[in-house]
Amino acid sequence: MKILVTFCSAIFLFVSCNPEPQNKNLTYQNIIIISDMSSRLNNKPPKDIDEINKIVNFFKTECVKPGKKIGDRSSISFSPFSQKTITSIDLEKYKNLSEKQSFINSTGKYRNNGLAQQINIFKNKVESAYSNTRNQGLDLISILIEKIENENIIKSDTTFINGIDTTFIKYDNHIYIFTDGYLEYNNRNRNNQFYFSNSEIDKVRQFSKTNNIDVSKALEAKSSLGLPSEKNNKNHHINLHIFETHERDKDDKLQTYKYPKGQRDNEILQAVWKKWTSESGFKSFEWKKY
């Protein structure tokens, strides 16, 4: 009996001395900015660059936090719709923690080429793109689908196991699209799958008025009035933000609208985009007018 008690005590001591597995849950940001470089840039006072700079500053001060945070894996990139990524900062490429922090804090070999300098380069390349790029009539949604599917811009969650410890890495993927909300492109007679301009907006408006229902209900009642959904396994990882949207049916000088509230261009476009993102399986949707 004494031997059994001693044996059980030894087993208990052995088990109790073993460390408990430690699980960590870490979340990082993957910010993708895509700009519509069409004639819309000449229609309204330019505001894109100010908004993009706010996003870039958020990346630095709230995601990376130089001098305050260690080991961040966040990233930010920019491209016009007509091109692949033209500038980016991806902290995940620095596998060595010491090297990563040296880059983030612009010290050591990165004293003149660290995060601070790369952010300035990023902003300059954005400004250069806005000064030198103009594209007329691009099929924005088709290009967006292509970028998501084929350009490796979306990051997937991953897991790291170290002995008995597990670290769960999660990425919040944010795509910021700068556009006026209208979906107009050349050769619509060959393929009008994602075309949505004045005539399509007016069809929604008239159906809504005729049936005395709001725009969202009109789109639900007659699905052909909206955009066809496009599901992708990556979509449910993406928070989609549509920025810079504005109304062509607004007189900026008189501050008056051609149509009553609930029937305005921007409101109809917002409802159309929102329904498309929901049916296409995106994680979340934001629509910002300024």
Side-chain angles (χ1 to χ4, degrees):
M1 182 68 178
K2 184 177 180 180
I3 295 175
L4 179 60
V5 171
T6 301
F7 177 76
C8 291
S9 298
I11 292 296
F12 174 78
L13 182 62
F14 175 78
V15 172
S16 63
C17 288
N18 279 340
E20 290 289 327
Q22 298 295 315
N23 293 336
K24 290 183 181 179
N25 292 278
L26 302 174
T27 301
Y28 303 108
Q29 305 303 308
N30 179 32
I31 299 171
I32 303 130
I33 303 169
I34 311 174
S35 290
D36 167 16
M37 303 292 199
S38 64
S39 58
R40 73 176 182 91
L41 298 177
N42 305 320
N43 295 336
K44 295 277 184 175
K47 297 181 179 180
D48 286 17
I49 291 177
D50 287 343
E51 288 294 320
I52 290 173
N53 285 342
K54 290 178 185 177
I55 296 171
V56 176
N57 292 336
F58 170 82
F59 168 76
K60 177 182 177 181
T61 61
E62 300 299 323
C63 302
V64 184
K65 298 183 179 181
K68 298 179 180 179
K69 187 177 180 182
I70 296 176
D72 192 74
R73 291 171 175 262
S74 297
S75 59
I76 187 168
S77 64
F78 169 81
S79 71
F81 267 95
S82 59
Q83 302 175 45
K84 294 184 178 181
T85 299
I86 63 173
T87 184
S88 66
I89 301 171
D90 189 350
L91 298 181
E92 196 161 28
K93 74 177 186 179
Y94 300 95
K95 304 302 181 183
N96 181 280
L97 182 59
S98 177
E99 183 179 8
K100 177 182 292 190
Q101 292 310 120
S102 180
F103 171 81
I104 289 172
N105 297 317
S106 300
T107 59
K109 70 176 184 179
Y110 293 107
R111 185 168 62 89
N112 297 315
N113 191 31
L115 178 65
Q117 292 77 16
Q118 289 302 314
I119 284 179
N120 288 334
I121 292 171
F122 188 102
K123 290 181 178 180
N124 289 337
K125 287 188 176 180
V126 169
E127 291 188 16
S128 177
Y130 269 85
S131 297
N132 300 307
T133 308
R134 287 296 181 274
N135 305 119
Q136 305 302 323
L138 296 181
D139 182 356
L140 299 191
I141 286 189
S142 289
I143 296 172
L144 174 63
I145 292 168
E146 179 75 14
K147 283 180 175 290
I148 291 172
E149 288 182 348
N150 299 319
E151 290 190 18
N152 199 31
I153 59 176
I154 304 304
K155 293 193 175 185
S156 300
D157 298 346
T158 188
T159 301
F160 293 102
I161 298 176
N162 183 12
I164 62 171
D165 300 333
T166 304
T167 301
F168 300 95
I169 304 293
K170 178 183 177 183
Y171 292 98
D172 282 339
N173 294 282
H174 295 271
I175 295 182
Y176 290 87
I177 295 178
F178 284 82
T179 182
D180 58 7
Y182 297 82
L183 295 165
E184 302 162 325
Y185 53 85
N186 298 325
N187 299 323
R188 64 167 297 191
N189 293 328
R190 293 173 57 186
N191 176 17
N192 65 352
Q193 184 178 24
F194 297 115
Y195 191 94
F196 210 92
S197 186
N198 296 325
S199 60
E200 287 73 26
I201 290 169
D202 199 54
K203 287 178 183 178
V204 177
R205 183 181 291 121
Q206 295 304 321
F207 188 86
S208 173
K209 290 169 63 177
T210 300
N211 294 277
N212 195 30
I213 54 177
D214 64 33
V215 167
S216 296
K217 290 182 179 177
L219 292 169
E220 291 293 340
K222 191 174 181 180
S223 60
S224 61
L225 291 173
L227 300 169
S229 63
E230 186 70 25
K231 294 186 180 297
N232 183 305
N233 290 334
K234 297 179 181 179
N235 288 353
H236 69 279
H237 294 295
I238 300 171
N239 303 281
L240 190 64
H241 310 261
I242 311 297
F243 275 28
E244 198 278 320
T245 70
H246 63 253
E247 304 101 329
R248 295 177 188 171
D249 55 341
K250 179 183 178 182
D251 188 319
D252 289 330
K253 291 183 178 179
L254 299 176
Q255 290 295 298
T256 57
Y257 288 88
K258 184 177 180 180
Y259 301 101
K261 189 169 178 57
Q263 299 291 328
R264 297 169 185 167
D265 278 18
N266 196 272
E267 294 167 319
I268 294 173
L269 288 168
Q270 180 179 4
V272 168
W273 274 92
K274 183 177 181 180
K275 184 172 184 285
W276 180 77
T277 57
S278 175
E279 293 178 346
S280 297
F282 284 84
K283 184 177 180 180
S284 70
F285 173 74
E286 179 187 13
W287 180 270
K288 186 174 182 179
K289 177 178 70 173
Y290 59 82

